[in-house]
Amino acid sequence: MASHPDVSFLRQVPLFKDVDEPTLRALWPRFRERRVRKGEVLFRTNDPGDELYLIFSGDIVVSKPVTGRVE
């Protein structure tokens, strides 16, 4: 993410589409960029839900084991 308060990215996220500009500018500094490598696991089932991930660029695969090693 950009280091300056460029909230245009947040405007593209449906969760923030109706949030006013001053609030978005106040939220922006709370976000931090996290780069991940292909194949890296961000979280697993039953991990504490204490983070929100917004994808700035790239793709992500969400999978869940159903039986044994099948996803």
Side-chain angles (χ1 to χ4, degrees):
M1 288 186 197
S3 58
H4 58 77
D6 178 9
V7 297
S8 62
F9 167 69
L10 293 179
R11 282 268 170 245
Q12 299 171 32
V13 178
L15 180 66
F16 299 109
K17 72 179 177 70
D18 295 325
V19 177
D20 62 72
E21 191 78 11
T23 302
L24 290 178
R25 290 191 180 282
L27 284 172
W28 184 258
R30 310 260 326 172
F31 288 99
R32 61 182 164 78
E33 183 175 10
R34 178 175 175 184
R35 294 175 181 244
V36 294
R37 285 173 277 166
K38 184 176 182 176
E40 184 176 346
V41 176
L42 289 175
F43 59 89
R44 298 187 186 282
T45 303
N46 297 323
D47 282 354
D50 56 1
E51 292 183 278
L52 169 69
Y53 295 99
L54 305 175
I55 301 171
F56 186 72
S57 67
D59 299 305
I60 189 166
V61 173
V62 178
S63 65
K64 179 177 179 173
V66 178
T67 304
R69 301 183 119 208
V70 178
E71 292 186 3

